Amino acid sequence: MTRHLRRLTTVLTLALLGALIAPATTAHAATFDVLVFSKTAGFRHDAIPTGLSTLRTLGTQNDFTVTTTEDATAFTTANLATYEAVVFLNTTGDVLNATQQTAFQSYVDSGGGYLGVHAAADTEYDWPYYGQLVGAWFQSHPAIQSATIRNEDRTHPATSHLGATWTRTDEWYNYRANPRPNVHVLQTLDETSYTGGSMGTDHPITWCHGQGQGRSFYTGLGHTIESYADPAFRSLLLGGLRYAAGQVTANCAAPAGTGVIEGESYTSSFGVQAANHTPASGGRTLGHIDNGDWAGYSAVSTAGARTFTAKVSSAGAGGTIEVRSGSATGTLLGSVAVPVTGGWETFTTVSTTLTGTATGPLFLRFTGGAGALFDVDTFSLGTQPATQALSDDVHLFYYPWYGSPAVNGSFRHWQQGGNTPPDDIGADLYPTLGAYDSGDFEGAVAQHMEWVARSGAGVIVYSWWGRGSYEDQLTRGVLDAAQEKGIEVAFHLEPYAGRTAASTVADIQYINSTYGSHPAFYRSADHGDKGAFYVFQSLNITDWTALNQVTGSSIVLAQTTDTTKIANFSGMYTYDGIAGATAPGWKQAGDYARANGLIWSPSVAPGYIDDRAVPGNTTPTVARAGGAAYDRQWNNALDPAIGGNPTWVSVTSFNEWHEGSSIEPADSTPPAGQGYQTYNGAYGLTGTAAETAYLDRTAYWVGRFQ
């Protein structure tokens, strides 16, 4: 801020004069000013008075002024402009009205600073911008107890005084979504060091990030009165406050390829301006774009970026967005055409694959004809594990049973539950590809394999319903499509009418002889190059002695954790998309498998809901909880004390839409009037960026498993 720069100049001048004349006392202006806001509209923390006193003391000791208030009328454009940072100290509930929200958003996006302490994450749930600003909203907490903090980044001024770990007592928040995709994490909690954590192995507790031209810092510490007497915590507050106020620089860049970025949050530009459009995210867009204009985003790294997606509108000429790194003339990573949408408030989504490689900050350069071209509302970068080998140990259950009139002659499976495709389908989520056909090998299936590769999983488990079935007829086409992306295919033997142990043996022999020579046929290199067959509802048959005819050359898994029911099988899997939340019997099954040279493949799922596909079904639903449910199941699988050291991890599912367990991208704007859910909010992502959230999160867990 210019006011702050003038003040620094004054301080430096006084310091130089002081060195010359050395007066006994020299009065000078404080280096910066802070507004501390502690209004509560919900739970009120008894540590607030101590926190206010602590911040005043820090101000006195470190040459900044502290103004405290619980009066929201302080949130005006004119008043906020007098402060370098605003602290939300254990605020709760709805504390600002719409006008005050607008003033605060403008303040931060124009270069102001925000610091949130503890219950600041329990604030303004109905204001999406605030959720982005704070990074994550509060979900729950266990009792106050001691826990170990891992200091993930010890270069930030807030954490540079700390060691690798820090054990302290506080109230430890669980958050509705993991903020990591959108922030720079400084500290995480070790959930094995206390009880009641629900976020798994990756539990951020302190983080920072750029917000527009401003800065945001949040810590979940600070519930207890005793916290504020802790010198280490006071130093953390001071470092975070100095960063938020712009007094020190720090690496607070979010990971590349994640998060939705407001177009108008540029940090440098030529020609462009923010434009007000009510339907846009935050009510504004990056607008007034002419040929040759550009916008730079210093906090957005292009490292690892492989896709670019933007929400755009145009009542002008349309044009092209060039995605560049380092500068407006830097490395060209890719470009995407922006069509005329018919109005400045009529938005569409465009996306492209990025083929260039660079690590600098993001710049968008705009080209086109004469006059106004288009507006950019929001955009996101995506990463793909293109340089990471796909994992043969992570298997996605894949369903090839869908049909459409264009390919199959009629809809197949989409109408389950008495629905009428294409807009009305038997699912609570709607595919980005619409009501596609599993025989559309060049279209839907090719896209599926690209998405599977993006997830990092190297194997799909193909749902197979018997010789000559619809799925059997599509097998070779799916194998061909999988081969193109380096994906391999195992088989899920389904309980078709009349299935027996003997027919299962014959099915395995048939599949091996018919498809076993295909390059995409999965063979486990760690298990004698054998193919893999998962047998669904294996407990429906009691005598599996016949399997001895094929287990010498094939891996055959039973669907159970009951080790008394797996005689003649090569191992176990669970499939159940609900049980993974509590992992019943997983450790026992895993330990047994390891002790007996068997394979253990527990199944994890992002959620479960089948209300539209099976009306009236009483099966419990599993809410996705912004990705927390998926993380919990993965964490259970990979925790040796819970999951029993799996050989493989199977994912339920890539595309079982009827059960709502899919990680295949779901449309962020599904057909209206049907009550569809979306992935909105998954891992802090919204809109089109959230559509691929579960693919990218799978890639994260694949990496952890590997």
Side-chain angles (χ1 to χ4, degrees), residues 137-181:
W137 274 308
F138 162 80
Q139 183 176 57
S140 64
H141 65 78
I144 295 171
Q145 60 193 293
S146 175
T148 298
I149 296 171
R150 299 188 187 100
N151 296 304
E152 187 169 312
D153 181 348
R154 294 160 61 197
T155 66
H156 194 283
T159 53
S160 59
H161 63 291
L162 298 170
T165 60
W166 181 21
T167 300
R168 64 185 309 278
T169 297
D170 214 320
E171 181 182 76
W172 305 113
Y173 274 6
N174 299 308
Y175 299 95
R176 293 187 178 185
N178 190 316
R180 187 179 293 275

Side-chain angles (χ1 to χ4, degrees), residues 73-100:
T73 62
F75 284 74
T76 66
T77 299
N79 187 51
L80 292 174
T82 64
Y83 300 100
E84 275 73 25
V86 176
V87 178
F88 275 45
L89 176 65
N90 278 323
T91 53
T92 54
D94 186 0
V95 292
L96 299 178
N97 66 26
T99 300
Q100 294 155 1

Side-chain angles (χ1 to χ4, degrees), residues 169-231:
T169 297
D170 214 320
E171 181 182 76
W172 305 113
Y173 274 6
N174 299 308
Y175 299 95
R176 293 187 178 185
N178 190 316
R180 187 179 293 275
N182 304 308
V183 303
H184 181 80
V185 174
L186 301 174
Q187 297 179 309
T188 58
L189 288 177
D190 180 356
E191 288 197 354
T192 67
S193 68
Y194 71 105
T195 60
S198 66
M199 297 181 67
T201 55
D202 184 21
H203 187 150
I205 196 66
T206 301
W207 56 79
C208 59
H209 67 281
Q211 182 73 34
Q213 297 180 45
R215 297 154 303 281
S216 172
F217 183 98
Y218 171 81
T219 181
L221 284 60
H223 170 87
T224 65
I225 293 174
E226 293 77 12
S227 293
Y228 297 88
D230 180 353

